[in-house]
Amino acid sequence: MSRDIWDPSTYERYADERSRPFFELTARIQADAPQYVVDAGCGTGELTMALSERWPGATVEGFDSSPAMIAKARETGGRFTVADVTLWRPDRPVDVLVSNAVLQWVPTHRDLLGHWVDALADGGWLAFQVPGNFDAPSHVLIRELCRSDTWRDKLGEFDRGAPVSTPVEYMELLSAMGARVDAWETTYVQLLQGEDAVLTWVSGTALRPVLDRLNPGEQTSFKRDLKKLFDAAYPRKEYGTAFPFRRIFVVASKEEAHA
């Protein structure tokens, strides 16, 4: 994940909705007094600072491949660096390693999980969550529009498919590495406010790789075409726009070594 595909200002528009899975994930981490905590793919850093508040005695660090996100994160006063999630390796064992909505961007993340388990201290914790909504209209309509007559020449080959596994598959994978695993999924019905709410939501994340392939005029045209599809799939009501969003959660603890 070396390219800067993130738009911090758009991403933060729905910060409250995006942060809820993070807190529900990290609530299941049962580390009492970790010494070294890492937030892999920390984004703008506010949630990393929540880890500092939970474990004030720990060294807490965050890294992200996006220079724009890290520039924003450093405004919090925490410890943040630019690093590629696929290449990062800690210089000492990690007591708690958190990854919030990052691994869906890493095709090789199943292999990466093995490196992360190895990086944990004995009794350490790995917690991550990823979107599981790649078959939802928000993603299917983007793929279909990319393959349409209007956009196929520019975007026809774009198809991320379903880049994540099921909770059972993650449990099997990490259990085979000797970890104790708690895996589950939740579908949130996010109630988004404002005009073009779903389009704004995906513009900060899922739509970025598509827009990066287009010039500014094409970006405007593509978003206009996508807006029409989203208006039909996600009608705005007087109370807001209902946006079902499935998330997959995994919390694993590394067994302590015994002499």
Side-chain angles (χ1 to χ4, degrees), residues 49-162:
M49 300 309 291
L51 298 177
S52 295
E53 293 172 4
R54 178 173 174 182
W55 293 299
T59 297
V60 179
E61 298 178 350
F63 71 89
D64 199 286
S65 64
S66 167
M69 287 292 195
I70 291 299
K72 183 72 175 176
R74 285 172 175 161
E75 295 176 7
T76 67
R79 301 170 58 141
F80 297 98
T81 58
V82 177
D84 187 324
V85 72
T86 64
L87 301 176
W88 172 84
R89 299 291 184 271
D91 57 8
R92 59 175 163 135
V94 182
D95 296 301
V96 176
L97 177 53
V98 176
S99 176
N100 185 56
V102 173
L103 294 179
Q104 72 273 15
W105 296 104
V106 184
T108 59
H109 74 264
R110 295 160 189 84
D111 296 329
L112 181 61
L113 290 174
H115 292 295
W116 283 4
V117 170
D118 289 343
L120 295 177
D122 289 343
W125 293 81
L126 168 64
F128 65 90
Q129 66 92 5
V130 291
N133 64 332
F134 295 97
D135 291 329
S138 56
H139 287 67
V140 172
L141 291 173
I142 291 174
R143 297 196 296 265
E144 290 179 349
L145 185 57
C146 288
R147 295 193 297 266
S148 68
D149 291 343
T150 302
W151 296 103
R152 74 174 70 176
D153 289 345
K154 283 270 187 179
L155 302 169
E157 82 288 355
F158 178 81
D159 186 355
R160 295 185 61 229

Side-chain angles (χ1 to χ4, degrees), residues 169-204:
E169 289 169 335
Y170 285 126
M171 176 173 283
E172 291 174 343
L173 177 66
L174 290 165
S175 294
M177 299 175 188
R180 290 182 290 112
V181 185
D182 180 13
W184 72 99
E185 63 180 73
T186 299
T187 297
Y188 300 94
V189 181
Q190 306 282 20
L191 189 59
L192 306 182
Q193 302 299 325
E195 295 282 347
D196 305 326
V198 176
L199 181 60
T200 300
W201 178 286
V202 301
S203 292

Side-chain angles (χ1 to χ4, degrees), residues 15-70:
D16 289 344
E17 292 87 348
R18 295 187 188 280
S19 65
R20 180 179 172 185
F22 172 88
F23 288 109
E24 294 186 5
L25 172 74
T26 55
R28 304 286 276 270
I29 301 172
Q30 299 175 30
D32 293 326
Q35 297 300 302
Y36 185 34
V37 177
V38 177
D39 186 359
C42 61
T44 53
E46 289 86 355
L47 297 179
T48 314
M49 300 309 291
L51 298 177
S52 295
E53 293 172 4
R54 178 173 174 182
W55 293 299
T59 297
V60 179
E61 298 178 350
F63 71 89
D64 199 286
S65 64
S66 167
M69 287 292 195
I70 291 299

